[in-house]
Coordinates of all heavy atoms in Angstrom, one line a residue:
M43 N 27.2 6.8 -24.6 CA 26.9 5.8 -23.6 C 25.8 6.4 -22.7 O 26.0 7.6 -22.2 CB 28.1 5.4 -22.9 CG 27.7 4.4 -21.7 SD 29.1 3.9 -20.7 CE 29.7 2.5 -21.6
L44 N 24.8 5.7 -22.4 CA 23.7 6.2 -21.5 C 24.2 6.1 -20.1 O 24.8 5.1 -19.6 CB 22.5 5.4 -21.7 CG 21.6 5.7 -22.9 CD1 20.5 4.7 -23.0 CD2 21.2 7.1 -23.0
E45 N 23.9 7.1 -19.3 CA 24.2 7.1 -17.9 C 23.2 6.2 -17.1 O 22.0 6.2 -17.3 CB 24.0 8.5 -17.3 CG 24.3 8.6 -15.8 CD 23.9 10.0 -15.3 OE1 23.8 10.9 -16.0 OE2 23.7 10.1 -14.0
R46 N 23.8 5.2 -16.4 CA 23.0 4.4 -15.5 C 22.7 5.0 -14.2 O 23.6 5.5 -13.6 CB 23.7 3.0 -15.3 CG 24.1 2.2 -16.5 CD 22.9 1.5 -17.2 NE 22.5 0.4 -16.3 CZ 21.4 -0.2 -16.5 NH1 20.5 0.2 -17.5 NH2 20.9 -1.1 -15.6
R47 N 21.5 5.0 -13.8 CA 21.1 5.6 -12.5 C 20.2 4.7 -11.8 O 19.5 3.9 -12.4 CB 20.6 7.0 -12.7 CG 19.3 7.1 -13.5 CD 18.9 8.5 -13.7 NE 17.7 8.6 -14.5 CZ 17.7 8.8 -15.8 NH1 18.8 8.9 -16.5 NH2 16.5 8.8 -16.5
P48 N 20.1 4.8 -10.5 CA 19.2 4.0 -9.7 C 17.8 4.3 -10.2 O 17.4 5.4 -10.4 CB 19.4 4.3 -8.3 CG 20.7 5.1 -8.3 CD 20.9 5.6 -9.6
S49 N 17.0 3.3 -10.2 CA 15.6 3.4 -10.6 C 14.8 4.0 -9.4 O 15.0 3.6 -8.2 CB 15.0 2.1 -11.0 OG 13.6 2.3 -11.4
S50 N 13.9 4.8 -9.7 CA 13.0 5.5 -8.6 C 11.6 5.3 -9.1 O 11.3 5.5 -10.3 CB 13.4 6.9 -8.5 OG 12.4 7.6 -7.8
P51 N 10.6 5.2 -8.2 CA 9.2 5.1 -8.7 C 8.8 6.5 -9.2 O 7.7 6.6 -9.8 CB 8.4 4.8 -7.4 CG 9.3 5.1 -6.3 CD 10.8 5.0 -6.8
H52 N 9.6 7.5 -9.1 CA 9.2 8.9 -9.5 C 10.1 9.3 -10.7 O 10.2 10.5 -11.0 CB 9.3 9.8 -8.4 CG 8.6 9.4 -7.1 ND1 7.2 9.2 -7.1 CD2 9.0 8.9 -5.9 CE1 6.9 8.7 -5.9 NE2 7.9 8.5 -5.2
D53 N 10.8 8.4 -11.4 CA 11.6 8.7 -12.5 C 10.9 9.6 -13.5 O 11.6 10.5 -14.1 CB 12.2 7.5 -13.1 CG 13.5 7.0 -12.4 OD1 14.0 7.7 -11.6 OD2 13.8 5.8 -12.7
D54 N 9.7 9.3 -13.9 CA 9.0 10.1 -14.9 C 8.8 11.5 -14.5 O 9.0 12.4 -15.3 CB 7.7 9.4 -15.3 CG 6.7 9.3 -14.1 OD1 7.2 9.2 -12.9 OD2 5.5 9.2 -14.3
L55 N 8.5 11.7 -13.2 CA 8.4 13.1 -12.7 C 9.7 13.8 -12.6 O 9.8 15.0 -13.0 CB 7.7 13.1 -11.3 CG 7.6 14.5 -10.7 CD1 6.7 15.5 -11.5 CD2 6.9 14.3 -9.3
I56 N 10.7 13.1 -12.2 CA 12.1 13.7 -12.2 C 12.5 14.1 -13.6 O 13.1 15.1 -13.8 CB 13.1 12.7 -11.5 CG1 12.7 12.6 -10.0 CG2 14.5 13.2 -11.6 CD1 13.4 11.4 -9.3
D57 N 12.3 13.2 -14.5 CA 12.7 13.4 -15.9 C 12.0 14.7 -16.5 O 12.6 15.5 -17.1 CB 12.4 12.3 -16.8 CG 13.3 11.0 -16.6 OD1 14.4 11.2 -16.0 OD2 12.9 9.9 -16.9
H58 N 10.7 14.8 -16.1 CA 9.9 16.0 -16.5 C 10.5 17.3 -16.0 O 10.6 18.2 -16.7 CB 8.4 15.8 -16.1 CG 7.6 17.0 -16.3 ND1 7.2 17.4 -17.6 CD2 7.2 18.0 -15.5 CE1 6.6 18.5 -17.5 NE2 6.5 18.9 -16.3
L59 N 10.8 17.2 -14.7 CA 11.4 18.4 -14.1 C 12.8 18.8 -14.7 O 13.1 20.0 -14.9 CB 11.6 18.2 -12.6 CG 10.3 18.3 -11.7 CD1 10.6 17.9 -10.3 CD2 9.7 19.6 -11.8
V60 N 13.5 17.8 -15.1 CA 14.9 18.0 -15.7 C 14.6 18.7 -17.0 O 15.4 19.6 -17.4 CB 15.7 16.8 -15.8 CG1 16.9 16.9 -16.7 CG2 16.1 16.3 -14.4
R61 N 13.7 18.2 -17.8 CA 13.4 18.7 -19.1 C 12.8 20.1 -19.1 O 13.0 20.9 -19.9 CB 12.4 17.8 -19.9 CG 13.0 16.6 -20.4 CD 12.1 15.8 -21.4 NE 10.7 15.6 -20.8 CZ 10.4 14.6 -20.1 NH1 11.2 13.6 -19.8 NH2 9.1 14.4 -19.7
S62 N 11.9 20.4 -18.1 CA 11.1 21.6 -18.1 C 11.7 22.7 -17.2 O 11.1 23.8 -17.1 CB 9.7 21.3 -17.6 OG 9.7 20.9 -16.3
T63 N 12.8 22.4 -16.5 CA 13.5 23.4 -15.7 C 14.9 23.4 -15.9 O 15.4 22.6 -16.6 CB 13.2 23.2 -14.1 OG1 13.9 22.0 -13.7 CG2 11.7 23.0 -13.9
A64 N 15.7 24.2 -15.2 CA 17.1 24.2 -15.3 C 17.7 23.3 -14.2 O 18.9 23.4 -14.0 CB 17.7 25.6 -15.1
L65 N 16.9 22.6 -13.5 CA 17.4 21.7 -12.4 C 18.2 20.6 -12.9 O 17.8 19.8 -13.8 CB 16.3 21.2 -11.5 CG 15.5 22.2 -10.7 CD1 14.3 21.5 -10.1 CD2 16.4 22.8 -9.7
P66 N 19.4 20.3 -12.4 CA 20.1 19.1 -12.6 C 19.3 17.9 -12.0 O 18.5 18.1 -11.1 CB 21.4 19.2 -11.9 CG 21.5 20.5 -11.4 CD 20.1 21.2 -11.5
R67 N 19.5 16.7 -12.5 CA 18.7 15.6 -12.1 C 18.8 15.3 -10.5 O 17.8 15.1 -9.9 CB 19.2 14.3 -12.8 CG 18.4 13.0 -12.4 CD 18.7 11.9 -13.3 NE 17.8 10.9 -13.0 CZ 16.5 10.8 -13.4 NH1 16.0 11.8 -14.1 NH2 15.7 9.8 -13.0
G68 N 19.9 15.5 -9.9 CA 20.0 15.3 -8.5 C 19.2 16.3 -7.7 O 18.5 15.9 -6.8
E69 N 19.1 17.5 -8.2 CA 18.3 18.5 -7.5 C 16.8 18.3 -7.8 O 16.0 18.4 -6.8 CB 18.7 19.9 -7.9 CG 20.0 20.4 -7.3 CD 20.3 21.8 -7.7 OE1 19.4 22.7 -7.7 OE2 21.5 22.1 -8.0
A70 N 16.5 17.9 -9.0 CA 15.1 17.5 -9.3 C 14.6 16.4 -8.4 O 13.5 16.5 -7.9 CB 15.0 17.2 -10.8
A71 N 15.4 15.4 -8.2 CA 15.1 14.3 -7.4 C 14.9 14.7 -5.9 O 13.9 14.3 -5.3 CB 16.1 13.1 -7.4
R72 N 15.7 15.6 -5.4 CA 15.6 16.1 -4.1 C 14.3 16.9 -3.9 O 13.6 16.8 -2.9 CB 16.8 17.0 -3.7 CG 16.7 17.4 -2.2 CD 17.8 18.5 -1.9 NE 17.8 19.7 -2.8 CZ 16.9 20.6 -2.7 NH1 15.9 20.6 -1.8 NH2 16.9 21.7 -3.5
V73 N 14.0 17.8 -4.9 CA 12.7 18.5 -4.9 C 11.5 17.6 -4.8 O 10.6 17.8 -4.0 CB 12.6 19.5 -6.1 CG1 11.2 20.1 -6.2 CG2 13.7 20.6 -6.0
V74 N 11.5 16.6 -5.7 CA 10.4 15.6 -5.7 C 10.3 15.0 -4.2 O 9.2 14.9 -3.7 CB 10.6 14.5 -6.7 CG1 9.6 13.4 -6.5 CG2 10.4 15.2 -8.1
L75 N 11.4 14.5 -3.7 CA 11.3 13.9 -2.4 C 10.9 14.9 -1.3 O 10.1 14.5 -0.4 CB 12.7 13.3 -2.0 CG 13.1 12.1 -2.9 CD1 14.5 11.7 -2.5 CD2 12.1 11.0 -2.7
D76 N 11.3 16.2 -1.4 CA 10.9 17.2 -0.4 C 9.3 17.4 -0.5 O 8.7 17.5 0.5 CB 11.6 18.5 -0.6 CG 13.0 18.5 -0.2 OD1 13.4 17.5 0.6 OD2 13.7 19.4 -0.5
V77 N 8.8 17.5 -1.8 CA 7.4 17.7 -1.9 C 6.6 16.5 -1.4 O 5.6 16.7 -0.7 CB 7.1 18.0 -3.4 CG1 5.5 17.9 -3.7 CG2 7.7 19.3 -3.8
L78 N 7.0 15.3 -1.7 CA 6.4 14.1 -1.2 C 6.4 14.1 0.3 O 5.4 13.7 0.9 CB 7.0 12.9 -1.8 CG 6.8 12.6 -3.3 CD1 7.6 11.5 -3.8 CD2 5.3 12.4 -3.6
A79 N 7.5 14.5 0.9 CA 7.5 14.5 2.4 C 6.6 15.5 3.0 O 5.9 15.3 4.0 CB 9.0 14.8 2.9
Y80 N 6.5 16.7 2.3 CA 5.6 17.7 2.7 C 4.1 17.2 2.7 O 3.4 17.4 3.7 CB 5.7 18.9 1.8 CG 4.8 20.1 2.0 CD1 5.1 21.0 3.0 CD2 3.6 20.1 1.3 CE1 4.2 22.1 3.2 CE2 2.7 21.2 1.6 CZ 3.0 22.2 2.5 OH 2.2 23.2 2.8
F81 N 3.7 16.5 1.7 CA 2.4 16.0 1.6 C 2.2 14.7 2.4 O 1.0 14.2 2.5 CB 2.0 15.8 0.2 CG 1.6 17.1 -0.5 CD1 2.5 17.6 -1.5 CD2 0.6 17.9 -0.1 CE1 2.2 18.8 -2.1 CE2 0.3 19.1 -0.8 CZ 1.1 19.5 -1.8
D82 N 3.2 14.1 2.9 CA 3.1 12.9 3.7 C 2.9 13.3 5.2 O 2.7 12.4 6.0 CB 4.4 12.1 3.6 CG 4.2 10.6 4.0 OD1 3.0 10.1 3.8 OD2 5.1 10.0 4.5
E83 N 3.0 14.5 5.5 CA 2.8 15.0 6.9 C 1.4 14.7 7.4 O 0.4 15.1 6.7 CB 3.2 16.5 7.0 CG 3.2 17.0 8.4 CD 3.7 18.5 8.4 OE1 3.2 19.3 7.6 OE2 4.6 18.7 9.2
T84 N 1.3 14.1 8.5 CA -0.1 13.8 9.1 C -0.6 15.1 9.7 O 0.1 16.1 10.0 CB 0.0 12.8 10.2 OG1 0.8 13.3 11.3 CG2 0.6 11.4 9.8
A85 N -1.9 15.1 10.0 CA -2.5 16.3 10.6 C -1.8 16.6 12.0 O -1.6 17.8 12.3 CB -4.0 16.1 10.8
E86 N -1.6 15.6 12.8 CA -1.0 15.8 14.1 C 0.4 16.3 14.0 O 0.8 17.3 14.7 CB -0.9 14.4 14.8 CG -2.3 13.9 15.3 CD -3.0 13.2 14.2 OE1 -2.4 12.9 13.1 OE2 -4.2 12.9 14.3
D87 N 1.2 15.8 12.9 CA 2.5 16.3 12.7 C 2.5 17.8 12.3 O 3.3 18.7 12.7 CB 3.3 15.5 11.7 CG 3.7 14.2 12.3 OD1 3.7 14.0 13.5 OD2 3.9 13.3 11.4
F88 N 1.5 18.1 11.4 CA 1.4 19.5 10.9 C 1.1 20.4 12.1 O 1.6 21.5 12.3 CB 0.2 19.6 9.9 CG -0.2 21.0 9.6 CD1 0.6 21.8 8.8 CD2 -1.3 21.6 10.1 CE1 0.3 23.1 8.5 CE2 -1.7 22.9 9.8 CZ -0.8 23.6 9.0
V89 N 0.1 20.1 13.0 CA -0.2 20.9 14.1 C 1.0 21.1 15.0 O 1.2 22.3 15.4 CB -1.4 20.3 14.9 CG1 -1.7 21.0 16.2 CG2 -2.7 20.3 14.0
R90 N 1.7 20.1 15.4 CA 2.9 20.2 16.2 C 3.9 21.1 15.6 O 4.5 22.0 16.2 CB 3.5 18.8 16.5 CG 2.6 18.0 17.5 CD 3.4 16.7 17.8 NE 2.4 15.8 18.5 CZ 1.8 14.8 17.9 NH1 2.0 14.5 16.6 NH2 0.9 14.0 18.6
R91 N 4.2 20.9 14.2 CA 5.2 21.7 13.5 C 4.8 23.2 13.5 O 5.6 24.1 13.8 CB 5.4 21.2 12.1 CG 6.4 22.0 11.3 CD 6.7 21.5 9.9 NE 5.4 21.4 9.1 CZ 4.9 22.4 8.5 NH1 5.4 23.7 8.6 NH2 3.9 22.3 7.7
R92 N 3.5 23.5 13.1 CA 3.1 24.9 13.0 C 3.1 25.5 14.4 O 3.4 26.7 14.5 CB 1.7 24.9 12.4 CG 1.7 24.7 10.9 CD 2.5 25.8 10.2 NE 1.8 27.1 10.1 CZ 2.4 28.3 10.1 NH1 3.7 28.4 10.1 NH2 1.6 29.3 10.1
H93 N 2.7 24.8 15.4 CA 2.7 25.4 16.8 C 4.2 25.8 17.1 O 4.4 26.9 17.6 CB 2.2 24.4 17.8 CG 2.1 24.9 19.2 ND1 3.2 24.8 20.1 CD2 1.2 25.6 19.8 CE1 2.9 25.5 21.2 NE2 1.6 26.0 21.1
R94 N 5.2 24.9 16.8 CA 6.5 25.3 17.2 C 6.9 26.5 16.3 O 7.6 27.5 16.8 CB 7.5 24.1 16.8 CG 7.6 23.1 17.8 CD 8.7 22.1 17.6 NE 8.7 21.6 16.2 CZ 8.0 20.5 15.8 NH1 7.3 19.8 16.6 NH2 8.2 20.1 14.5
E95 N 6.6 26.5 15.0 CA 7.0 27.7 14.1 C 6.4 29.0 14.6 O 7.1 30.0 14.7 CB 6.6 27.4 12.7 CG 7.3 26.3 12.0 CD 6.7 25.8 10.7 OE1 5.6 26.3 10.3 OE2 7.3 25.0 10.0
L96 N 5.1 28.9 14.9 CA 4.4 30.2 15.3 C 4.8 30.6 16.7 O 4.9 31.8 16.9 CB 2.9 30.0 15.2 CG 2.3 29.7 13.8 CD1 0.9 29.2 13.9 CD2 2.5 30.9 12.9
Q97 N 5.1 29.7 17.6 CA 5.6 30.0 18.9 C 6.9 30.7 18.8 O 7.2 31.7 19.5 CB 5.6 28.8 19.8 CG 5.8 29.1 21.3 CD 5.6 27.8 22.1 OE1 6.2 26.8 21.7 NE2 4.8 27.8 23.1
S98 N 7.8 30.1 18.0 CA 9.1 30.7 17.8 C 9.0 32.1 17.2 O 10.0 32.9 17.3 CB 10.1 29.8 17.0 OG 9.7 29.8 15.6
G99 N 7.9 32.4 16.5 CA 7.7 33.7 15.9 C 7.1 34.7 16.9 O 6.8 35.9 16.5
G100 N 6.9 34.3 18.1 CA 6.4 35.2 19.1 C 4.9 35.2 19.4 O 4.5 36.0 20.2
L101 N 4.2 34.4 18.7 CA 2.8 34.3 19.0 C 2.4 33.6 20.2 O 3.2 32.7 20.7 CB 2.0 33.7 17.8 CG 1.7 34.6 16.6 CD1 2.9 34.7 15.7 CD2 0.5 34.1 15.8
V102 N 1.3 33.9 20.9 CA 0.8 33.2 22.1 C -0.2 32.1 21.6 O -0.7 32.1 20.6 CB 0.2 34.2 23.1 CG1 1.2 35.1 23.6 CG2 -1.0 34.9 22.5
N103 N -0.4 31.1 22.5 CA -1.2 30.0 22.2 C -2.6 30.4 21.7 O -3.1 29.7 20.7 CB -1.4 29.0 23.4 CG -0.2 28.1 23.5 OD1 0.6 27.9 22.6 ND2 0.0 27.5 24.7
A104 N -3.3 31.3 22.2 CA -4.6 31.7 21.7 C -4.5 32.1 20.2 O -5.3 31.6 19.4 CB -5.2 32.8 22.5
E105 N -3.5 32.9 19.8 CA -3.4 33.2 18.4 C -2.9 32.1 17.6 O -3.4 31.9 16.4 CB -2.3 34.3 18.3 CG -2.7 35.7 19.0 CD -1.5 36.6 19.0 OE1 -0.4 36.2 19.5 OE2 -1.8 37.8 18.7
I106 N -2.0 31.3 18.1 CA -1.5 30.1 17.4 C -2.6 29.1 17.1 O -2.7 28.7 15.9 CB -0.4 29.4 18.2 CG1 0.9 30.2 18.4 CG2 -0.1 28.0 17.7 CD1 1.9 29.7 19.3
F107 N -3.4 28.8 18.0 CA -4.4 27.8 17.8 C -5.5 28.3 16.8 O -6.1 27.6 16.0 CB -5.1 27.2 19.1 CG -4.1 26.4 19.8 CD1 -3.7 26.7 21.1 CD2 -3.4 25.3 19.2 CE1 -2.8 25.9 21.8 CE2 -2.5 24.6 19.9 CZ -2.2 24.9 21.2
E108 N -5.9 29.6 16.9 CA -6.8 30.2 15.9 C -6.2 30.1 14.5 O -6.9 29.8 13.5 CB -7.1 31.7 16.3 CG -8.1 31.8 17.4 CD -8.5 33.2 17.6 OE1 -8.5 34.0 16.7 OE2 -8.7 33.6 18.8
R109 N -4.9 30.4 14.4 CA -4.3 30.4 13.0 C -4.2 29.0 12.5 O -4.5 28.8 11.3 CB -2.9 31.0 13.1 CG -2.3 31.0 11.7 CD -1.1 31.8 11.5 NE -1.2 33.2 11.9 CZ -0.1 34.1 11.9 NH1 1.0 33.6 11.5 NH2 -0.3 35.3 12.3
I110 N -3.9 28.0 13.3 CA -3.8 26.6 12.9 C -5.2 26.1 12.5 O -5.3 25.5 11.5 CB -3.2 25.7 14.0 CG1 -1.7 26.0 14.2 CG2 -3.3 24.3 13.6 CD1 -1.1 25.3 15.4
A111 N -6.2 26.5 13.2 CA -7.6 26.1 12.9 C -8.0 26.6 11.6 O -8.7 26.0 10.7 CB -8.5 26.5 14.0
A112 N -7.6 27.9 11.3 CA -7.9 28.5 10.0 C -7.1 27.8 8.8 O -7.6 27.8 7.7 CB -7.6 30.0 10.0
E113 N -5.9 27.4 9.1 CA -5.0 26.8 8.1 C -5.5 25.3 7.7 O -5.3 24.9 6.6 CB -3.5 26.8 8.5 CG -3.0 28.2 8.6 CD -1.5 28.2 9.1 OE1 -1.0 27.1 9.5 OE2 -0.9 29.3 9.2
M114 N -6.0 24.6 8.7 CA -6.2 23.2 8.5 C -7.1 22.9 7.4 O -6.8 21.9 6.6 CB -6.8 22.6 9.8 CG -5.8 22.3 11.0 SD -4.5 21.2 10.5 CE -5.5 19.7 10.5
P115 N -8.2 23.6 7.1 CA -9.1 23.2 6.0 C -8.4 23.3 4.6 O -8.9 22.7 3.6 CB -10.3 24.1 6.1 CG -10.2 24.7 7.5 CD -8.8 24.6 7.9
H116 N -7.3 24.1 4.6 CA -6.6 24.3 3.3 C -5.4 23.5 3.2 O -4.6 23.6 2.2 CB -6.3 25.8 3.2 CG -7.4 26.7 3.4 ND1 -8.4 26.8 2.4 CD2 -7.8 27.4 4.4 CE1 -9.4 27.6 2.9 NE2 -9.1 28.0 4.1
R117 N -5.2 22.6 4.1 CA -3.9 21.8 4.2 C -4.1 20.4 3.7 O -5.1 19.7 4.1 CB -3.5 21.8 5.7 CG -2.3 20.9 6.0 CD -1.1 21.6 5.6 NE 0.0 20.5 5.8 CZ 1.1 20.5 5.2 NH1 1.3 21.3 4.2 NH2 2.0 19.6 5.4
A118 N -3.3 19.9 2.8 CA -3.3 18.6 2.3 C -2.5 17.7 3.4 O -1.3 18.1 3.7 CB -2.7 18.4 1.0
V119 N -3.1 16.7 3.9 CA -2.4 15.9 4.9 C -2.4 14.4 4.4 O -3.3 14.1 3.6 CB -3.1 16.0 6.3 CG1 -2.9 17.4 6.8 CG2 -4.5 15.6 6.3
A120 N -1.5 13.7 4.9 CA -1.5 12.3 4.5 C -2.7 11.6 4.9 O -3.2 11.7 6.1 CB -0.3 11.6 5.1
P121 N -3.3 10.7 4.1 CA -4.5 9.9 4.5 C -4.1 8.9 5.5 O -2.9 8.5 5.6 CB -4.9 9.3 3.2 CG -3.7 9.2 2.4 CD -2.8 10.4 2.8
P122 N -5.0 8.4 6.3 CA -4.7 7.3 7.2 C -4.4 6.0 6.4 O -4.8 5.9 5.2 CB -6.0 7.1 8.0 CG -7.1 7.6 7.0 CD -6.5 8.7 6.3
E123 N -3.6 5.2 7.0 CA -3.3 3.9 6.4 C -4.6 3.0 6.4 O -5.2 3.0 7.4 CB -2.2 3.1 7.1 CG -0.8 3.6 6.7 CD 0.3 2.6 7.2 OE1 0.1 1.4 7.1 OE2 1.3 3.2 7.6
L124 N -4.9 2.4 5.3 CA -6.1 1.6 5.1 C -5.7 0.1 4.9 O -4.8 -0.1 4.1 CB -7.0 2.1 4.0 CG -7.5 3.6 4.2 CD1 -8.2 4.0 2.9 CD2 -8.4 3.7 5.4
S125 N -6.4 -0.8 5.5 CA -6.2 -2.2 5.2 C -6.8 -2.5 3.9 O -7.5 -1.8 3.3 CB -6.8 -3.1 6.3 OG -8.2 -2.9 6.2
L126 N -6.4 -3.7 3.4 CA -7.0 -4.2 2.1 C -8.5 -4.3 2.2 O -9.2 -3.9 1.3 CB -6.4 -5.5 1.7 CG -4.9 -5.4 1.3 CD1 -4.4 -6.8 1.0 CD2 -4.6 -4.5 0.2
R127 N -8.9 -4.7 3.4 CA -10.4 -4.9 3.6 C -11.0 -3.5 3.5 O -12.1 -3.3 2.9 CB -10.6 -5.5 4.9 CG -12.1 -5.7 5.2 CD -12.3 -6.5 6.5 NE -13.7 -6.7 6.7 CZ -14.3 -6.7 7.9 NH1 -13.7 -6.5 8.9 NH2 -15.6 -7.0 7.9
Q128 N -10.4 -2.5 4.1 CA -11.0 -1.1 4.1 C -11.0 -0.6 2.7 O -12.0 0.1 2.3 CB -10.2 -0.2 5.1 CG -10.4 -0.5 6.5 CD -9.4 0.3 7.4 OE1 -8.2 0.3 7.1 NE2 -10.0 0.9 8.4
L129 N -10.0 -0.9 2.0 CA -10.0 -0.4 0.5 C -11.1 -1.1 -0.3 O -11.8 -0.4 -1.0 CB -8.6 -0.8 -0.1 CG -7.4 0.0 0.4 CD1 -6.2 -0.5 -0.1 CD2 -7.6 1.5 0.1
R130 N -11.3 -2.4 0.0 CA -12.4 -3.1 -0.8 C -13.8 -2.5 -0.4 O -14.6 -2.3 -1.2 CB -12.3 -4.6 -0.5 CG -11.3 -5.3 -1.3 CD -11.4 -6.8 -1.2 NE -11.0 -7.3 0.1 CZ -9.7 -7.7 0.4 NH1 -8.8 -7.5 -0.5 NH2 -9.4 -8.2 1.5
R131 N -13.9 -2.1 0.9 CA -15.2 -1.6 1.4 C -15.4 -0.2 0.8 O -16.6 0.1 0.5 CB -15.2 -1.4 2.9 CG -15.3 -2.9 3.6 CD -15.6 -2.8 5.0 NE -17.0 -2.3 5.0 CZ -17.8 -2.5 6.0 NH1 -17.4 -3.2 7.0 NH2 -19.0 -2.0 6.0
I132 N -14.4 0.6 0.5 CA -14.6 1.8 -0.2 C -15.1 1.6 -1.6 O -16.0 2.4 -2.0 CB -13.2 2.6 -0.3 CG1 -12.8 3.1 1.2 CG2 -13.3 3.8 -1.2 CD1 -11.4 3.6 1.2
V133 N -14.6 0.6 -2.2 CA -15.1 0.3 -3.6 C -16.4 -0.3 -3.7 O -17.3 0.0 -4.4 CB -14.0 -0.5 -4.3 CG1 -14.5 -0.9 -5.7 CG2 -12.7 0.2 -4.5
Y134 N -16.6 -1.4 -2.8 CA -17.8 -2.2 -2.9 C -18.9 -1.9 -1.9 O -19.9 -2.5 -1.9 CB -17.4 -3.7 -2.9 CG -16.5 -4.0 -4.1 CD1 -15.2 -4.4 -3.8 CD2 -17.0 -4.0 -5.4 CE1 -14.4 -4.8 -4.9 CE2 -16.1 -4.3 -6.5 CZ -14.9 -4.7 -6.2 OH -14.1 -5.0 -7.2
G135 N -18.5 -1.1 -0.9 CA -19.5 -0.7 0.2 C -19.6 -1.7 1.3 O -19.1 -2.7 1.5

């Protein structure tokens, strides 16, 4: 009998992780959600989080802001929300 599980928009990725790693399905699903949350972080949220992390590591603001500025160009951040009109303008100008 096949196991019934809730459908997720990421089932294909979760299935791939289960097949290609030793992760059980529940852990694979958690990893996918963690990665998606990581890439869903806005630039502002990233700056605030990194500031807290670096400050708790003992750095002072001058060092913190230099490091964050160096990290930003290499950081994937969530895109801004776009309206349907804005999406159409991207395609059709």
Side-chain angles (χ1 to χ4, degrees):
M43 175 185 270
L44 288 175
E45 176 188 343
R46 301 282 295 165
R47 59 184 182 264
S49 180
S50 162
H52 310 292
D53 277 343
D54 58 333
L55 178 56
I56 294 167
D57 291 341
H58 172 74
L59 286 174
V60 169
R61 285 190 309 271
S62 64
T63 68
L65 291 174
R67 183 167 187 77
E69 287 184 41
R72 184 190 55 76
V73 167
V74 168
L75 293 176
D76 284 350
V77 170
L78 291 172
Y80 177 84
F81 284 111
D82 198 33
E83 187 175 47
T84 65
E86 292 82 6
D87 289 341
F88 170 74
V89 169
R90 288 183 192 103
R91 178 179 59 79
R92 282 300 284 152
H93 184 270
R94 281 190 310 272
E95 291 170 353
L96 295 170
Q97 194 173 46
S98 71
L101 277 82
V102 297
N103 276 343
E105 296 170 312
I106 291 171
F107 291 124
E108 282 185 33
R109 183 168 306 175
I110 292 172
E113 291 175 359
M114 285 297 291
H116 308 285
R117 173 78 184 151
V119 296
E123 276 194 43
L124 301 172
S125 69
L126 294 178
R127 181 176 186 215
Q128 289 170 310
L129 293 173
R130 283 192 283 277
R131 290 194 68 154
I132 290 171
V133 173
Y134 299 113

